[in-house]
Amino acid sequence: MKVNVEALSSTEKKVEVFIPVEEVKEEMEKVFREFQKKAKIRGFRPGKIPRNLIETVYRDDVLNEVSSRLISESFENALKELSVTPVSRPRITADKVERDNDFHYTAVFEVIPEFELKDYIGIELKKEKYEVKDEDVERALNQLRERGAEAKPLETEREVRKGDYVIVDYEGRLDGKTIKDLKRTDTQFLVGEGNLIAEFEDNLAGMREGEEKEFEVTYPEDFQMKEVAGKTVKFDLKVKKILGRVLPELDDDFAKDLGQENLEGLKKKIREDLEKKLYEDSQNKLRGELMKILREKNPVDVPASLVESEAIRLKREFVNNFQRHGVEAPPLTEEAEEKFRERATRSLKTSIIVGEIAKKEGIKVEDREVDDKLAEMAKSFEVPFEKVREVYESNNMIGSLEAGLIEDKVFNFLLEKSNIEEGSGERNQIDKES
């Protein structure tokens, strides 16, 4: 067997394979004998059909089978000989099989490009230093109070104010027809929290219990509900109940309801959680900056098939995120599609560079480390370790888990080899989260 390889581009190769006539004849004879044993032709017993009749009736089937076998048996060996690994399905073009000639075929496929890895040691980074302040803890406490607020009847009749809970009926109509998704009865929400479009809440403010009102709302062109996007909807609204919002007292009982011994213990737990979150945010920011610099210093092309597959995965993740919240995902514009491809390209470039660094530095993941990660997830989700492993194995997810662990190891390795300048910075973590 003779093998030639040609680089069509940095990410695409063409492999030519020539199989000598002796092997072609041998394979052809083998297939003809198999057909002779199993073929069925009226007037002949199985296995007793003359060879010339088999060649006449089944010739095309035999030649197709010979071509398929020669390609499948030789292609893997050709790849090993060339030390090439396809990342896309090969496009095969084969000559017609002839008894007295060599057999020739070509395979075109995409590969991870070769590139010179450089400048990954001693990267200059700036790490901002964040501190959790007392006001951050107080703000977090107030957020917890907000979540624990109770709705109670008003002691004195008054109009709707920001911060009230209201129970309302409403119905939206477009061209006189009721819109199913804009009709609700006895629905409750908090005024001023942005749960409804601003024009709706503006018309609600100042109304009293039992009061009814008709008004119009014009929806923006990009509104997620396509039926009303860019259109003006007429609403009928009735306020059935106004409830005051009562916050719990900040005391030891409040802390105990949240699983802490006392208020001081709750504050300590909040501070620890905020410090952990700030550290994780700082590390993620550092990681993002490091990977960005790596991509700039190591330009590399990405196979188009991988970009397409990763973009599809990102879009599926985007849609699933909406569906988990019971909302239909908005249609993707051409601009949005392009952004997904850009994200996919960045992610794949990072993975290629990280993989090359891991290979060069001998960074690997042991089976024990994979098990430790699965055990960590099992504990987090409160399910048996065996169940988590079964899910990952049955869905072929172990490979992606290992890739993630290798990326973590490479990141830590690069941090150790980087020149990191610690700066100072202030960020309001609570404002960010809210």
Side-chain angles (χ1 to χ4, degrees):
M1 181 176 74
K2 180 183 175 183
V3 181
N4 294 330
V5 62
E6 176 186 353
L8 301 180
S9 71
S10 64
T11 61
E12 193 171 50
K13 291 186 182 295
K14 181 173 78 171
V15 169
E16 279 191 294
V17 180
F18 299 85
I19 298 177
V21 62
E22 294 80 16
E23 291 184 31
V24 175
K25 287 181 178 180
E26 182 182 342
E27 193 65 46
M28 191 175 289
E29 287 301 314
K30 186 188 302 181
V31 174
F32 267 122
R33 286 196 299 270
E34 291 175 5
F35 268 74
Q36 196 169 14
K37 288 180 182 179
K38 65 182 181 180
K40 294 180 181 180
I41 297 179
R42 184 175 294 180
F44 294 93
R45 288 182 296 167
K48 300 297 182 179
I49 304 171
R51 169 66 176 264
N52 62 340
L53 189 56
I54 291 290
E55 291 189 7
T56 300
V57 176
Y58 290 101
R59 181 174 180 79
D60 288 344
D61 292 332
V62 168
L63 294 181
N64 287 336
E65 178 64 19
V66 171
S67 176
S68 177
R69 291 189 186 184
L70 288 173
I71 292 171
S72 63
E73 291 171 3
S74 63
F75 187 56
E76 186 175 344
N77 290 331
L79 294 177
K80 287 180 180 177
E81 181 179 325
L82 298 170
S83 298
V84 174
T85 303
V87 296
S88 66
R89 183 183 294 276
R91 303 190 302 277
I92 306 286
T93 303
D95 293 347
K96 185 177 179 180
V97 175
E98 296 179 351
R99 184 190 303 272
D100 298 320
N101 288 322
D102 293 346
F103 176 63
H104 164 257
Y105 70 90
T106 63
V108 177
F109 50 85
E110 289 185 307
V111 296
I112 299 297
E114 296 178 0
F115 66 100
E116 183 184 354
L117 185 65
K118 57 184 179 180
D119 298 337
Y120 64 92
I121 300 295
I123 292 176
E124 301 287 339
L125 293 171
K126 185 173 182 179
K127 182 178 181 180
E128 294 181 332
K129 185 177 181 180
Y130 295 107
E131 178 185 358
V132 176
K133 300 180 179 180
D134 291 342
E135 51 263 39
D136 295 329
V137 176
E138 292 300 320
R139 196 175 288 107
L141 275 172
N142 287 328
Q143 285 187 342
L144 291 174
R145 287 184 73 202
E146 296 282 345
R147 294 173 195 165
E150 295 182 6
K152 293 188 176 181
L154 297 176
E155 295 181 359
T156 305
E157 183 183 345
R158 61 167 174 78
E159 74 284 353
V160 174
R161 298 174 184 170
K162 182 178 179 180
D164 287 339
Y165 290 105
V166 291
I167 299 174
V168 302
D169 294 344
Y170 64 87
E171 178 180 343
R173 288 174 282 109
L174 191 60
D175 298 328
K177 295 182 180 179
T178 298
I179 301 169
K180 182 181 177 182
D181 291 336
L182 292 181
K183 182 178 180 180
R184 294 287 185 272
T185 301
D186 291 330
T187 186
Q188 177 178 308
F189 61 88
L190 183 60
V191 180
E193 289 295 296
N195 295 323
L196 295 174
I197 196 165
E199 287 182 54
F200 191 101
E201 289 202 352
D202 290 344
N203 279 281
L204 177 60
M207 294 181 68
R208 292 177 175 270
E209 283 188 8
E211 186 177 348
E212 298 182 25
K213 189 175 186 180
E214 184 179 272
F215 57 91
E216 293 183 345
V217 171
T218 300
Y219 287 86
E221 293 285 349
D222 60 351
F223 193 68
Q224 64 187 24
M225 193 173 158
K226 290 182 284 186
E227 188 177 359
V228 299
K231 298 176 182 178
T232 299
V233 177
K234 284 189 176 181
F235 276 96
D236 291 321
L237 172 68
K238 180 178 181 179
V239 176
K240 302 178 80 171
K241 195 76 174 175
I242 303 173
L243 301 168
R245 191 158 173 259
V246 180
L247 299 176
E249 292 293 329
L250 272 180
D251 54 22
D252 289 345
D253 289 335
F254 175 71
K256 289 175 182 177
D257 289 339
L258 294 173
Q260 301 299 318
E261 291 186 5
N262 50 43
L263 187 58
E264 286 305 310
L266 177 60
K267 289 181 179 181
K268 181 181 178 183
K269 179 67 166 58
I270 289 173
R271 185 178 293 277
E272 290 172 353
D273 289 345
L274 289 178
E275 287 173 346
K276 180 181 178 182
K277 183 67 167 59
L278 282 172
Y279 173 77
E280 290 174 352
D281 284 351
S282 176
Q283 289 296 99
N284 288 336
K285 185 176 180 181
L286 201 61
R287 188 187 193 117
E289 183 63 23
L290 178 58
M291 297 307 177
K292 179 183 177 183
I293 293 172
L294 278 178
R295 291 192 298 268
E296 291 171 349
K297 291 178 177 292
N298 293 275
V300 57
D301 295 326
V302 181
S305 60
L306 293 186
V307 172
E308 186 63 27
S309 296
E310 178 65 5
I312 290 172
R313 187 192 69 79
L314 291 172
K315 285 186 283 188
R316 188 183 301 120
E317 189 178 83
F318 172 79
V319 171
N320 290 342
N321 188 50
F322 275 89
Q323 291 176 343
R324 280 194 295 269
H325 292 85
V327 179
E328 182 182 353
L332 293 177
T333 62
E334 187 175 334
E335 182 181 1
E337 293 275 2
E338 182 58 31
K339 286 187 180 298
F340 276 113
R341 285 191 288 271
E342 289 173 0
R343 280 182 58 196
T345 301
R346 284 197 303 272
S347 174
L348 290 165
K349 284 185 176 181
T350 299
S351 296
I352 291 171
I353 295 168
V354 165
E356 194 65 22
I357 293 173
K359 180 180 177 182
K360 188 170 182 179
E361 297 294 340
I363 299 173
K364 299 178 181 179
V365 170
E366 306 294 336
D367 292 342
R368 169 187 53 79
E369 294 172 297
V370 174
D371 286 343
D372 288 346
K373 186 63 178 179
L374 291 172
E376 180 184 322
M377 288 187 282
K379 182 178 180 181
S380 174
F381 293 115
E382 298 182 346
V383 294
F385 166 81
E386 293 75 13
K387 182 65 177 177
V388 175
R389 173 168 274 284
E390 179 186 340
V391 169
Y392 267 74
E393 288 179 342
S394 61
N395 289 281
N396 298 317
M397 294 162 60
I398 294 293
S400 60
L401 178 62
E402 290 176 345
L405 292 173
I406 285 179
E407 185 169 317
D408 289 342
K409 281 191 163 187
V410 170
F411 171 65
N412 291 330
F413 167 80
L414 293 175
L415 278 189
E416 291 178 3
K417 303 295 183 180
S418 296
N419 298 320
I420 302 176
E421 176 188 349
E422 291 222 4
S424 61
E426 292 186 8
R427 178 174 56 179
N428 195 318
Q429 175 69 13
I430 312 304
D431 284 347
K432 182 188 175 191
E433 290 182 339
S434 60

